[in-house]
Amino acid sequence: MAGTLSKATIRALLDEFAASWTIRTIEDVFTDAGIVPVAPGEAPEEQGERRTTARQYLHSLDLSDPRDCLTLMPVFELVLEDMMNWDGTPAPQRVRLLERLRRDGFERQPDGTIRPTSAVVLPTLPSSQVDEAVLREHLTRLERGLEGDPAVVIGSSKELIESVCKLVLQRLTIEYDENDDVPALVKVTLKALKLHPETLAPTAPAGEAVKRILGSLASMAVGVAELRNKIGTGHGRGVTLKLSPRHAHLAAGAATTFARLLLETLEDPEAPWRAGQDSP
């Protein structure tokens, strides 16, 4: 089944742990991924203490469930990073493990993350403006949760909107209050980039149509934040309504559309916020 891990792939992972990892680092890599071990004796017997340690963590997952397989991807990411020769070339076992993952329906991305090959691809944000420490984390959570964890996607969508607004304001050296809510951040950011309906001159080409689109853009971003407050995750809130992948796609699509427009406008040398033009 695509999106799940074969026994051969799991065996290759266990072999790598047994060959070059310590018990402590094995425990750390699973713990960092949020995976907890089963009690001693509950997991199948393995040859060697390192394999046994890893199996105790793996046994807490249902590897026939694509959602649990996605939970395990950060472990594979760190293992693959470690599988390099001293001269920077990939070790043969790394190539084999990547091929096994590919056969299982997973692909390693240029940024090192591993995602299902069948996953919905979110819009690519302008690379020169994406802060790897902030925005990339939000995007990765969005892509991984689209089919399996709608609540996390909704929470991450709101956080992406908030982070992009703050990034834009920082680049434009515009002060803002760290405690500002999303509606306030969205309004000041759109105005700063001359993307707010109020900043559009009446004489601008197709002005009324563009005003409606920009107004919808602002409402869309604020709506994502309101959706998170009602049924998403963040600030310790629990899920109060049943969610499905369509809710995740709605929130992720809205957030990435908003983020893309802001970042492309920020780096456009002819954008109206630079020249003081009337039209977007």
Side-chain angles (χ1 to χ4, degrees):
M1 177 180 177
T4 60
L5 294 165
S6 65
K7 291 182 179 179
T9 301
I10 295 300
R11 178 57 54 190
L13 178 66
L14 292 172
D15 289 344
E16 181 60 24
F17 281 139
S20 58
W21 288 61
T22 66
I23 292 175
R24 177 62 181 274
T25 54
I26 293 171
E27 293 173 340
D28 286 346
V29 74
F30 280 102
T31 299
D32 289 345
I35 302 171
V36 297
V38 298
E42 290 187 16
E45 289 289 332
E46 290 286 344
Q47 183 178 5
E49 193 173 358
R50 295 173 185 175
R51 284 191 175 91
T52 298
T53 298
R55 179 62 76 177
Q56 287 176 330
Y57 286 90
L58 291 169
H59 199 63
S60 69
L61 303 173
D62 178 1
L63 297 179
S64 66
D65 186 335
R67 292 171 295 184
D68 277 9
C69 291
L70 284 174
T71 300
L72 190 57
M73 286 305 109
V75 174
F76 278 98
E77 290 165 6
L78 289 174
V79 169
L80 287 166
E81 283 184 12
D82 191 63
M83 297 171 73
M84 300 293 290
N85 294 322
W86 63 269
D87 60 355
T89 59
Q93 60 269 32
R94 184 180 193 269
V95 176
R96 290 194 293 269
L97 181 55
L98 283 169
E99 176 60 21
R100 291 191 183 281
L101 286 167
R102 188 191 64 77
R103 291 177 183 177
D104 289 343
F106 296 92
E107 200 77 50
R108 187 175 186 272
Q109 305 300 311
D111 63 2
T113 59
I114 301 173
R115 301 170 200 158
T117 52
S118 59
V120 175
V121 178
L122 295 174
T124 302
L125 301 187
S127 58
S128 64
Q129 299 294 347
V130 173
D131 186 330
E132 293 296 334
V134 180
L135 303 189
R136 188 65 251 172
E137 180 182 349
H138 298 324
L139 290 171
T140 298
R141 287 206 300 270
L142 290 181
E143 290 166 329
R144 285 183 171 160
L146 275 174
E147 302 301 329
D149 202 337
V152 167
V153 171
I154 292 169
S156 296
S157 297
K158 176 264 178 184
E159 291 165 4
L160 175 63
I161 291 170
E162 187 175 34
S163 295
V164 168
C165 285
K166 291 181 178 180
L167 182 149
V168 169
L169 295 174
Q170 290 167 4
R171 298 286 171 87
L172 299 181
T173 64
I174 296 176
E175 294 185 0
Y176 62 90
D177 190 330
E178 282 288 347
N179 296 319
D180 281 346
D181 58 12
V182 168
L185 285 171
V186 166
K187 185 173 184 178
V188 69
T189 305
L190 291 178
K191 283 189 172 182
L193 290 175
K194 296 191 180 299
L195 292 174
H196 195 279
E198 295 177 5
T199 64
L200 191 65
T203 57
E208 289 304 315
V210 174
K211 276 187 177 182
R212 286 196 295 272
I213 293 173
L214 293 178
S216 297
L217 178 74
S219 297
M220 185 171 64
V222 172
V224 170
E226 293 175 349
L227 181 62
R228 196 294 305 270
N229 291 338
K230 291 183 180 298
I231 59 177
T233 59
H235 303 300
R237 295 185 63 88
V239 179
T240 58
L241 295 176
K242 181 176 176 58
L243 303 174
S244 68
R246 63 189 174 89
H247 295 105
H249 285 272
L250 174 65
T256 51
T257 297
F258 178 84
R260 184 181 181 89
L261 178 62
L262 264 62
L263 294 176
E264 287 183 340
T265 302
L266 179 63
E267 70 174 15
D268 183 355
E270 298 182 357
W273 68 267
R274 295 179 184 273
Q277 298 170 356
D278 292 328
S279 58

